[in-house]
């Protein structure tokens, strides 16, 4: 099989139909599959392969097993890459060595070269196989690379920066999510992520509830893509996130977009002190995080959110695993009825819906709840939410497990 059909087959496996960037990528690959514009394809493909095989952040993202198997691989690439900037004989030598390396490892007809093995893995590998998110982190990073190098040149500097930051995170931040790849993606940036922001906001139908004068808080804002997308509909967003690498990604995206109404703060939500109260707060999968960095118990967390929202303001709440055993462990929301006994004393439950995860493995379907802050704490509030009913309603929908 020649290369464009092979790439198209890979993109068609789990590329999302809801993503306009993926549509453009498919269309362009289809043109190349038809034999048109081959010189253009070859030029772009050569640039892509050179980038993927000579930048430490792409090597680490796309070839984690090779990095583990050959611990010298990354230091070698890094030193050759650095030496290219030297204005002397050594730079020429480094360039020649890198060129040889790229030609050898980039030849996709060789099944033992890095690029050939990667394409085989992505074309035939199973997303459930191996450690959690190993396949998916490589698959979606590769789709991001294809978008920037085959279709959307303007995204290249941003993608390079974001994957370089992810590489630093991988080495310096314990317990990063999704095998070190992006938890949040954003279609507007050609980044798939495990949770695509526009598709997620669309499924949750949140933006009609926001108004242009609103001030919004996103708790545990991750890479800030959701905060930036929400910022397009409101006056101001505070994005509070503990992980400095993710905040740097959010700030880079804001700079790239020229968007100024999202304020990124590196802070623990427990000790962070706001200078305002909000019309709406997002608490998406953040009340007990599986990285173990959310130290507040559930009632203190809810009381904190109550203190941050105006009376009548919105709390947008996303669960963790509602199918869990309900032991109260991080990530287990099988005890959501008990949690809602608490939450409904502070907030009135307006609507709750279950949603499919956006990836074919490892992530779980989530419950999304819209709540309104009560004027005052209501000690004898009776719970209206029922997890059993939410799950039954969900399972009765066509195509649900
Ligand atoms: C499961 S992710 C959810 C991210 C985001 N809310 C979303 O749904 O897209 C949890 C996030 O909370 C952050 N986090 C964990 N503990 C935190 C804390 N105490 N204060 C602020 N952020 C925290 C993590 O770094 C991570 O980005």
């Amino acid at each position: 099989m020649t290369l464009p059909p092979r790439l198209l087959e890979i993109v068609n496996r789990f590329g999302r139909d809801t993503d306009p960037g993926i549509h453009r990528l498919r269309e362009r690959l289809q043109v190349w599959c038809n034999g048109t514009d081959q010189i253009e394809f070859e030029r772009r493909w050569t640039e892509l392969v050179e980038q993927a095989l000579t930048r430490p952040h792409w090597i680490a993202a796309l070839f984690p097993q090779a990095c583990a198997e050959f611990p010298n691989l990354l230091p070698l690439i890094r030193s050759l890459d650095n030496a290219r900037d030297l204005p002397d004989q050594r730079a020429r030598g480094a360039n020649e060595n890198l060129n040889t390396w790229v030609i050898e490892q980039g030849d996709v007809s060789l099944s033992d070269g890095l690029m050939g093995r990667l394409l085989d893995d992505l074309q035939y590998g199973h997303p459930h196989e191996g450690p959690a998110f190993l396949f998916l982190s490589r698959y979606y990073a590769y789709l991001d690379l294809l978008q920037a190098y085959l279709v959307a040149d303007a995204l290249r500097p941003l993608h390079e920066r974001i994957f370089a930051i992810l590489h630093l995170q991988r080495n310096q931040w314990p317990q990063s999510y999704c095998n070190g790849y992006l938890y949040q993606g954003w279609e507007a940036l050609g980044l798939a992520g495990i949770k695509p922001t526009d598709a997620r906001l669309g499924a949750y139908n949140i933006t009609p509830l926001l108004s242009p004068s609103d001030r919004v808080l996103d708790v545990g804002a991750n890479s800030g893509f959701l905060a930036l997308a929400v910022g397009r509909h409101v006056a101001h967003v505070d994005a509070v996130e503990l992980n400095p690498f993710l905040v740097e990604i959010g700030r880079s995206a804001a700079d790239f977009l020229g968007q100024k109404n999202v304020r990124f703060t590196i802070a623990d939500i427990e000790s962070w002190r706001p200078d305002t109260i909000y019309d709406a707060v997002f608490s998406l999968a953040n009340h007990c995080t599986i990285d173990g960095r959310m130290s507040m118990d559930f009632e203190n967390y809810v009381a904190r959110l109550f203190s941050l929202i105006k009376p009548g303001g919105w709390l947008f709440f996303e669960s963790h695993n509602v199918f869990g055993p309900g032991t109260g462990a991080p990530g287990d929301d099988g005890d959501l009825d008990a949690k809602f006994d608490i939450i409904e004393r502070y907030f009135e439950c307006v609507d709750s819906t279950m949603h499919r995860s956006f990836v074919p493995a490892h992530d779980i379907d989530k419950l999304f709840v819209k709540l309104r802050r009560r004027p005052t704490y209501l000690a004898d509030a009776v719970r209206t939410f029922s997890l059993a009913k939410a799950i039954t309603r969900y399972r009765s929908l066509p195509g649900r497990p």
Side-chain angles (χ1 to χ4, degrees):
M1 196 189 265
T2 59
L3 201 41
R6 207 168 166 199
L7 296 178
L8 188 57
E9 201 171 301
I10 289 172
V11 174
N12 282 341
R13 288 194 77 192
F14 307 112
R16 298 181 182 110
D17 293 337
T18 50
D19 188 334
I22 293 296
H23 273 291
R24 284 190 289 275
L25 181 57
R26 283 181 177 141
E27 276 170 14
R28 185 66 70 89
L29 285 168
Q30 194 57 62
V31 168
W32 288 322
C33 288
N34 296 341
T36 317
D37 254 351
Q38 292 306 297
I39 294 174
E40 169 79 355
F41 174 75
E42 288 301 333
R43 182 181 68 76
R44 287 175 172 277
W45 177 251
T46 305
E47 287 170 351
L48 182 152
V49 171
E50 157 146 16
Q51 200 67 11
L53 291 175
T54 62
R55 301 294 150 161
H57 50 270
W58 287 115
I59 298 268
L62 298 172
F63 310 107
Q65 299 104 318
C67 292
E69 216 176 310
F70 307 105
N72 286 336
L73 178 58
L74 269 180
L76 183 72
I77 296 291
R78 206 175 291 120
S79 66
L80 288 173
D81 193 26
N82 291 340
R84 289 203 292 185
D85 297 332
L86 298 171
D88 61 18
Q89 194 70 22
R90 278 182 299 159
R92 271 203 300 282
N95 258 324
E96 277 166 23
N97 286 343
L98 266 182
N99 289 343
T100 311
W101 159 263
V102 169
I103 289 166
E104 282 170 8
Q105 300 298 327
D107 185 343
V108 293
S109 65
L110 304 175
S111 58
D112 58 349
L114 281 179
M115 218 16 115
R117 276 212 308 238
L118 176 67
L119 293 198
D120 277 350
D121 289 351
L122 301 185
Q123 201 173 357
Y124 305 113
H126 200 287
H128 285 281
E129 274 165 18
F133 291 106
L134 176 63
F135 174 90
L136 290 174
S137 61
R138 299 174 75 205
Y139 178 84
Y140 286 116
Y142 194 67
L143 257 48
D144 299 343
L145 184 72
L146 291 181
Q147 278 210 54
Y149 280 83
L150 297 187
V151 236
D153 299 6
L155 294 175
R156 291 183 188 185
L158 180 71
H159 281 208
E160 292 305 321
R161 180 159 176 74
I162 287 178
F163 278 90
I165 298 169
L166 288 176
H167 185 43
L168 290 176
Q169 176 195 241
R170 204 174 280 118
N171 293 328
Q172 297 178 33
W173 188 258
Q175 287 170 310
S176 47
Y177 284 82
C178 314
N179 200 38
Y181 177 60
L182 294 164
Y183 181 91
Q184 292 182 354
W186 192 7
E187 296 85 334
L189 301 177
L191 295 165
I194 299 303
K195 292 182 189 295
T197 289
D198 288 343
R200 192 178 183 198
L201 278 175
Y204 293 175
N205 200 21
I206 294 168
T207 44
L209 305 176
L210 301 170
S211 93
S213 61
D214 279 356
R215 300 181 73 75
V216 171
L217 168 67
D218 189 6
V219 175
N222 200 256
S223 51
F225 299 158
L226 187 119
L228 286 162
V230 167
R232 292 177 165 183
H233 302 273
V234 300
H236 175 85
V237 181
D238 271 321
V240 177
E241 165 60 53
L242 194 63
N243 177 334
F245 298 96
L246 296 176
V247 169
E248 191 51 34
I249 290 176
R251 287 180 176 148
S252 303
D255 282 350
F256 176 80
L257 297 167
Q259 193 173 334
K260 305 245 183 271
N261 69 339
V262 177
R263 177 170 59 177
F264 290 93
T265 306
I266 303 169
D268 184 328
I269 196 68
E270 182 168 13
S271 50
W272 172 71
R273 293 288 163 257
D275 53 14
T276 186
I277 59 168
Y278 297 94
D279 300 286
V281 169
F282 285 79
S283 171
L284 304 188
N286 249 100
H287 50 286
C288 55
T289 57
I290 52 170
D291 60 15
R293 294 177 188 271
M294 184 63 72
S295 48
M296 272 181 279
D297 71 23
F298 189 73
E299 174 131 23
N300 280 325
Y301 181 78
V302 172
R304 186 83 216 284
L305 298 185
F306 181 79
S307 74
L308 292 168
I309 304 177
K310 293 176 183 169
W314 287 107
L315 169 61
F316 301 121
F317 177 93
E318 188 194 76
S319 72
H320 293 283
N321 181 13
V322 296
F323 307 100
T327 56
D332 177 5
D333 270 339
D335 58 350
L336 214 55
D337 280 347
K339 286 174 174 148
F340 269 68
D341 282 336
I342 295 170
I343 208 169
E344 290 199 42
R345 294 185 207 132
Y346 297 82
F347 294 89
E348 185 189 348
C349 184
V350 175
D351 184 30
S352 72
T353 40
M354 286 288 299
H355 294 271
R356 293 311 292 265
S357 83
F358 299 93
V359 285
H362 298 299
D363 203 8
I364 25 160
D365 299 353
K366 295 287 190 74
L367 182 82
F368 176 70
V369 191
K370 294 170 182 157
L371 302 118
R372 271 196 187 279
R373 183 197 186 274
R374 294 190 187 281
T376 53
Y377 173 77
L378 195 62
D380 54 0
V382 176
R383 171 166 53 84
T384 60
F385 170 79
S386 156
L387 181 56
K389 281 190 189 152
I391 291 178
T392 307
R393 213 166 47 231
Y394 181 60
R395 290 202 163 130
S396 68
L397 295 172
R400 295 300 190 260

